[in-house]
């Protein structure tokens, strides 16, 4: 059975070009870049080349880039650095729909004595800017708000946020794990202080992340040890992955405009035809400001895990915000923050595409999905008569 | 209390903190999830090819459990022969995950041909067993099956519609009553909050009710309250000193260090604890408050008569 992989916001395949670049550094060229001998030292130059390519993706200077082990480490490092360099300030602002790498880290600092404010979102997942402005005070140590949401693909107004914070001299970090490589980011125009990228979301391998730190930003390292990354992140470099990430960023930059149009074309067709072929279906998130590759669709009256496992039978990979797939008993915090009714949250499915998806993949999903939805609705006690449904809506 | 039990006490204190930490992690999202691979072949089969799906228009009994808000709901229809009292047909409609659908299917197959009294002997564990077991976090699906059966039979026998069980609602997120927690705990020999959450969902939402669930479990198994913040009864000086040291190390210093402060234990004289504030704490305007906080913590966890003084 062929795998139809539509879960690219979870992770992506390693691009073949990336793997080719990496292979020698997992085999014969295993030297340590910090070594004095040529055998090791020659890898140093390749790391610096990769750094230039990563920097180019977001129009940064190479020495503003440090390599980390993953997006989560970059997020934790950025927030901790801001907190440590301003010990008198105690107020952290983030959003209610943040990835756990930021949200749980902020909550953790909250338990240790910081004050954490969570910016709410509106119905379509747009950031509530009025609420955000009201939260700002002299005590704010850092604002960490994602560039684009992983579940809905909704893009937050980074320009506006960064300008407001720049005026007030507040440190801004953004988790751009989902945005990088999918939409263009230019840190010369966007006054963000720190920005996170993760390798495995853009066709580099897992276990490699990036933190962009604008020149002049006060920085405290999080991982402490050797002198690597100019003393900003200790630990022997993940040479092969860094080289792979460099290639992946180069490819992303090169393909970005064409890929964006291609993916939004596929995505829009998938979305439009699903809404037509499956009744009682809705799209979650602002359709006008979204990543080109992401759609989050709710099939009402049926449950997400059941949908995923039926799709799994056809080799189709997607993900869901339902409670049963979350590991806790509560459904997606993102969709709940958006006020999506429970009837729809439980049946939410996220399809996220990559450049390796084809029209055929979309055809296949469109072919099997109506049957899955119909069968599960036949099983479901809801959605048959309006009385039962309106009762459940009313009790929310 | 001997030294060993005071060490045990410390372990209990630590484990409680750990569980609080776990609960506060509000977004355990898209992680630790049950995947297709955690389901037994029989669960997969019952989910992909469920038996007895649908409505019985002229059902003799209907049992309805759960709601769309909670994420799973089961409606069970029974056809009952009035002469023999046997269940001649059983069908279901289920909104929920794979294990909820599989449990419903298994239930309908199990009760067909049984008399009502025989059917009532089917436990949630029986349903799970027939399916070759359910993942721990999904046991509530089997409980839902058992409850729908009870509700349907009560409906047939004309027992007043006990839709909401008697007793106060403990878990507001999932609308679980004390009565249900007690019954499921006893039926399945559950002793921990985590097990209760797996079987009833109670405590799996905001987590506010977890202390109440602990109390209910203690009552059910008439355990002495676990040595939560209850203090050790009588401490020898040696134990007291060890305990004070431990609490300062594990409870107090990390919090202060997070604010670039610190505290050092200088001496213990009976119930007088003498400390020195270090780092950012020295000369901090809040120093007096910090000392009071340390005192409160030690009073809570060691002994009521402790006083804390800071060296100037």
């Amino acid at each position: 059975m062929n795998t139809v992989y539509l879960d690219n916001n979870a992770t992506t395949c390693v691009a073949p070009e990336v793997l080719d670049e990496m292979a020698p550094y997992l085999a014969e060229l295993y030297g340590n870049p910090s070594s004095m001998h040529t055998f090791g030292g020659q890898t140093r130059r390749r790391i610096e080349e990769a750094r230039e390519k990563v920097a180019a993706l977001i129009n940064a200077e190479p020495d503003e880039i440090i390599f980390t082990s993953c997006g989560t480490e970059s997020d934790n490092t950025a927030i901790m650095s801001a907190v440590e360099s301003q010990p008198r300030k105690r107020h952290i602002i983030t959003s209610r729909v943040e990835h756990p790498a930021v949200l749980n880290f902020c909550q953790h600092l909250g338990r240790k004595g910081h004050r954490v404010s969570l910016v709410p979102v509106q119905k379509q997942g747009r950031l509530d800017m009025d609420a955000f402005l009201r939260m700002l005070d002299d005590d704010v140590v850092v604002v960490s708000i994602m560039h684009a949401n992983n579940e809905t693909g909704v893009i937050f107004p980074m320009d506006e946020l960064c300008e407001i914070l720049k005026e007030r001299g507040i440190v801004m970090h953004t988790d751009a794990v989902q945005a990088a490589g999918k939409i263009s980011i230019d840190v010369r125009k966007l006054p963000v202080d720190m920005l996170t990228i993760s390798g495995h979301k853009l066709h580099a391998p897992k276990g490699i992340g990036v933190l962009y730190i604008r020149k002049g930003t006060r920085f405290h390292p999080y991982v402490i040890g050797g002198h690597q990354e100019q003393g900003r992140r200790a630990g022997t470099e993940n040479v092969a992955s860094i080289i792979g990430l460099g290639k992946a960023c180069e490819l992303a930059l090169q393909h970005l405009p064409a890929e964006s149009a291609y993916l939004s074309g596929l995505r829009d067709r998938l979305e439009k035809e699903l809404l037509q072929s499956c009744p009682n279906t809705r799209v979650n998130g602002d359709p006008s400001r979204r990543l080109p590759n992401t759609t989050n669709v709710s099939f009402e009256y049926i449950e997400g895990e059941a949908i995923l496992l039926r799709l799994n039978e056809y080799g189709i990979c997607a993900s869901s915000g339902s409670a049963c797939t979350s590991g806790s008993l509560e459904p997606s915090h993102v969709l709940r923050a958006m006020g999506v009714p429970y009837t729809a949250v439980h049946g939410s499915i996220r399809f996220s595409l990559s450049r390796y998806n084809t029209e055929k993949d979309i055809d296949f999903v469109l072919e099997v999905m109506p049957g899955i939805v119909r069968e599960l609705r036949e099983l479901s006690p809801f959605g048959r008569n309006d009385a039962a449904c309106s009762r459940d809506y009313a009790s929310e | 209390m001997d030294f060993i039990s005071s060490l045990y006490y410390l372990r209990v204190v630590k484990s409680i903190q750990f569980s609080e930490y776990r609960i506060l992690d509000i977004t355990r999202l898209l992680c630790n999830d049950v995947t297709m691979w955690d389901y037994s072949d029989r669960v997969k089969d019952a989910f992909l090819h469920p038996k007895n799906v649908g409505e019985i228009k002229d059902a003799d009994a209907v049992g309805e459990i759960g709601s769309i808000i909670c994420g799973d709901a089961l409606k069970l229809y029974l056809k009952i022969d009035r002469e023999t009292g046997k269940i001649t047909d059983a069908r279901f409609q289920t909104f929920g995950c794979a294990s909820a659908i599989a449990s419903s299917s298994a239930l309908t197959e199990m009760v067909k041909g049984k008399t009502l009294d025989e059917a009532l002997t089917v436990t949630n564990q029986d349903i799970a067993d027939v399916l070759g077991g359910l993942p721990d976090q999904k046991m509530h699906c089997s409980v839902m099956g058992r409850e729908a059966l009870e509700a349907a039979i009560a409906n047939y026998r004309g027992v007043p519609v006990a839709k909401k069980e008697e007793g106060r609602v403990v878990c507001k997120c999932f609308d679980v009553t004390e009565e249900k927690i007690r019954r499921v705990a006893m039926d399945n020999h559950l002793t921990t909050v985590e097990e209760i959450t797996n079987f009833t969902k109670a405590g799996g939402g905001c987590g506010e009710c977890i202390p109440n669930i602990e109390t209910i479990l203690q009552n059910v198994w008439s355990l002495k309250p676990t040595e939560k913040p209850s203090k050790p009864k009588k401490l020898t000086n040696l134990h007291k000193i060890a305990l004070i040291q431990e609490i300062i190390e594990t409870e107090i210093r990390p919090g202060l260090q997070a604010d670039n402060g610190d505290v050092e234990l200088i001496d213990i004289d009976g119930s007088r604890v003498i400390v020195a504030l270090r780092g950012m704490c020295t000369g901090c305007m809040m120093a007096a408050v910090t000392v009071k906080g340390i005192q409160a913590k030690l009073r809570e966890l060691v002994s009521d008569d402790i006083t804390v003084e800071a060296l100037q």
Side-chain angles (χ1 to χ4, degrees):
Chain A
M1 185 170 55
N2 284 334
T3 296
V4 175
Y5 190 79
L6 299 174
D7 202 11
N8 288 281
N9 285 10
T11 194
T12 59
C13 68
V14 175
E17 302 92 321
V18 168
L19 193 58
D20 286 346
E21 295 262 324
M22 290 173 67
Y25 298 88
L26 292 167
E28 63 269 30
L29 297 176
Y30 56 83
N32 187 328
S34 300
S35 296
M36 287 309 293
H37 40 74
T38 314
F39 178 67
Q42 63 187 349
T43 55
R44 155 92 27 232
R45 212 180 61 236
R46 295 303 311 276
I47 288 181
E48 296 317 316
E49 281 169 24
R51 200 185 304 280
E52 284 166 21
K53 291 174 185 167
V54 174
L57 179 66
I58 56 172
N59 205 13
E61 296 291 330
D63 59 357
E64 293 176 313
I65 299 294
I66 64 171
F67 293 110
T68 67
S69 68
C70 58
T72 299
E73 188 198 316
S74 298
D75 287 339
N76 284 198
T77 302
I79 295 165
M80 202 61 200
S81 166
V83 163
E84 285 205 340
S85 48
Q86 307 162 85
R88 280 168 200 286
K89 296 185 175 175
R90 318 288 300 165
H91 186 191
I92 299 172
I93 298 179
T94 182
S95 82
R96 284 181 64 184
V97 298
E98 219 59 31
H99 187 276
V102 169
L103 195 52
N104 281 349
F105 192 70
C106 291
Q107 306 273 14
H108 170 74
L109 292 173
R111 287 192 286 278
K112 294 194 158 207
H114 279 80
R115 187 155 56 91
V116 181
S117 298
L118 303 180
V119 184
V121 294
Q122 293 159 339
K123 269 214 158 18
Q124 288 196 307
R126 274 186 294 241
L127 208 62
D128 184 339
M129 291 301 284
D130 292 337
F132 171 70
L133 289 172
R134 281 197 300 274
M135 285 172 187
L136 294 176
D137 57 28
D138 294 338
D139 201 28
V140 177
V141 55
V142 63
V143 173
S144 178
I145 290 179
M146 63 196 344
H147 201 312
N149 185 270
N150 49 316
E151 292 191 36
T152 57
V154 170
I155 300 167
F156 285 151
M158 276 301 126
D159 298 330
E160 201 181 332
L161 284 170
C162 292
E163 288 298 340
I164 292 167
L165 295 177
K166 189 185 171 189
E167 258 171 44
R168 299 177 187 232
I170 296 171
V171 177
M172 170 77 188
H173 164 251
T174 186
D175 177 337
V177 163
Q178 295 296 344
K182 294 176 193 151
I183 53 175
S184 102
I185 300 174
D186 182 348
V187 293
R188 289 209 192 139
K189 293 192 189 130
L190 182 72
V192 68
D193 298 298
M194 289 180 278
L195 179 146
T196 295
I197 299 174
S198 168
H200 74 106
K201 310 285 192 199
L202 41 78
H203 304 290
K206 294 159 190 68
I208 185 76
V210 166
L211 182 62
Y212 157 82
I213 308 158
R214 179 179 297 280
K215 240 174 243 172
T217 306
R218 288 169 69 190
F219 184 74
H220 281 241
Y222 189 54
V223 177
I224 294 171
H227 54 83
Q228 293 89 352
E229 301 294 297
Q230 298 176 320
R232 292 180 295 181
R233 199 281 187 178
T236 299
E237 294 87 343
N238 184 350
V239 179
S241 295
I242 289 173
I243 291 168
L245 177 59
K247 185 67 187 172
C249 288
E250 187 183 69
L251 292 171
L253 186 62
Q254 185 187 330
H255 291 304
L256 204 145
E259 201 173 292
S260 175
Y262 173 66
L263 291 179
S264 57
L266 288 185
R267 189 268 317 269
D268 291 345
R269 182 164 84 90
L270 174 68
E271 197 171 88
K272 192 172 134 231
E273 293 186 25
L274 278 178
L275 292 184
Q276 281 167 359
S277 60
C278 309
N280 294 315
T281 300
R282 49 178 277 167
V283 172
N284 301 311
D286 183 356
S288 64
R289 279 188 67 88
R290 255 190 320 174
L291 295 175
N293 77 321
T294 309
T295 179
N296 188 312
V297 184
S298 278
F299 301 91
E300 299 200 63
Y301 313 119
I302 53 179
E303 201 275 336
E305 188 206 271
I307 303 172
L308 287 185
L309 296 186
R310 289 287 173 109
L311 285 170
N312 187 57
E313 287 300 299
Y314 294 99
I316 299 171
C317 310
S319 62
S320 167
S322 89
C324 280
T325 56
S326 70
S328 74
L329 292 165
E330 291 278 8
S332 158
H333 70 293
V334 174
L335 299 184
R336 279 184 299 145
M338 288 162 59
V340 175
Y342 274 83
T343 49
V345 174
H346 288 297
S348 67
I349 299 290
R350 177 189 70 188
F351 297 102
S352 46
L353 283 54
S354 82
R355 73 174 81 115
Y356 298 103
N357 289 119
T358 61
E359 293 283 352
K360 266 192 174 160
D361 294 342
I362 305 302
D363 290 341
F364 188 52
V365 175
L366 289 170
E367 182 190 321
V368 303
M369 200 68 201
I372 291 174
V373 172
R374 195 172 51 245
E375 273 179 41
L376 290 174
R377 284 207 178 129
E378 273 163 19
L379 279 171
S380 171
F382 303 116
R384 244 161 282 271
N385 54 62
D386 289 326
C389 315
S390 57
R391 183 193 65 207
D392 285 301
Y393 272 118
S395 57
E396 268 182 55
Chain B
M1 183 191 253
D2 60 14
F3 191 59
I4 300 295
S5 59
S6 75
L7 281 180
Y8 175 67
Y9 164 70
L10 284 169
R11 277 207 358 239
V12 170
V13 170
K14 278 187 184 161
S15 72
I16 289 165
Q17 285 172 335
F18 176 71
S19 72
E20 277 172 4
Y21 180 80
R22 191 180 62 82
I23 298 150
L24 284 164
D25 267 340
I26 53 159
T27 55
R28 281 161 282 152
L29 182 89
L30 297 171
C31 56
N32 315 322
D33 45 345
V34 175
T35 70
M36 195 64 172
W37 319 115
D38 294 330
Y39 286 129
S40 71
D41 288 342
R42 272 181 272 173
V43 172
K44 283 185 215 174
D45 187 58
F47 162 64
L48 293 172
H49 313 287
K51 304 277 181 346
N52 307 316
V53 175
E55 206 177 340
I56 301 178
K57 290 271 188 241
D58 55 345
D60 297 305
V62 179
E64 221 180 328
I65 286 294
S67 87
I68 201 165
I69 295 169
C70 294
D72 41 26
L74 162 55
K75 201 166 180 182
L76 177 70
Y77 302 87
L78 300 178
K79 193 88 190 127
I80 297 159
D81 185 331
R82 302 216 173 239
E83 300 278 299
T84 60
K86 281 192 178 166
I87 297 171
T88 54
D89 196 11
R91 292 186 173 273
F92 77 93
Q93 288 174 321
T94 292
F95 165 82
C97 56
S99 52
I101 289 168
S103 296
S104 311
S105 171
L107 171 73
T108 52
E109 290 196 284
M110 289 167 83
V111 300
K112 266 198 208 177
K114 286 195 164 76
T115 66
L116 294 184
D117 286 330
E118 283 164 358
L120 276 176
T121 63
V122 172
T123 66
N124 68 282
Q125 190 59 50
D126 294 336
I127 299 173
D129 288 344
V130 161
L131 290 168
L134 285 172
D136 287 347
Q137 312 92 295
K138 299 286 189 175
M139 282 302 288
H140 61 86
C141 296
S142 66
V143 172
M144 194 170 74
R146 158 79 200 183
E147 285 182 331
L149 178 65
E150 277 171 31
I153 293 177
N155 166 256
Y156 178 71
R157 290 179 167 165
V159 179
V161 191
K163 198 166 181 203
K164 283 276 177 311
E165 288 166 79
E166 296 293 312
R168 73 194 166 97
V169 172
V170 176
C171 172
K172 294 194 182 76
C173 297
F174 293 108
D175 202 15
V176 185
T177 61
E178 176 166 351
E179 183 53 35
K180 174 167 171 179
I181 293 172
R182 284 173 168 280
R183 195 166 40 75
V184 173
M186 289 205 276
D187 287 353
N188 295 284
H189 306 284
L190 309 182
T191 54
T192 67
V193 175
E194 199 184 335
E195 287 172 329
I196 291 291
T197 308
N198 287 340
F199 278 71
T200 66
K201 292 184 165 192
C206 68
E208 226 171 69
C209 62
I210 286 178
N212 295 336
I213 300 175
E214 270 170 2
T215 314
I216 294 168
L217 281 173
Q218 281 155 11
N219 291 339
V220 167
W221 303 113
S222 27
L223 294 173
K224 277 179 242 130
T226 41
E227 293 134 276
K228 218 189 162 174
S230 74
K231 296 166 207 53
K233 288 279 175 309
K234 183 92 171 81
L235 290 170
T236 65
N237 273 335
L238 197 59
H239 294 154
K240 190 191 260 178
I241 291 168
L243 196 53
I244 290 171
Q245 279 181 325
E246 179 80 29
I247 286 166
I248 287 181
E249 281 303 317
T250 58
E251 301 279 301
I252 294 164
R253 291 188 66 202
L256 294 177
Q257 284 166 350
D259 294 339
N260 295 319
D262 207 347
V263 66
E264 189 184 339
L265 179 61
I266 302 294
D267 200 3
I268 300 173
D269 177 12
S271 295
R272 275 178 67 217
V273 176
I274 295 135
V275 297
L277 297 176
R278 300 282 188 236
M280 293 286 280
C281 291
T282 38
C284 170
M285 283 164 65
M286 302 297 280
V289 179
T290 307
V291 172
K292 277 258 166 359
I294 299 171
Q295 177 170 302
K297 196 86 189 169
L298 291 175
R299 282 186 175 178
E300 180 195 345
L301 296 172
V302 185
S303 167
D304 285 327
D305 56 359
I306 282 181
T307 56
V308 175
E309 297 164 28
L311 277 186
Q312 291 306 315

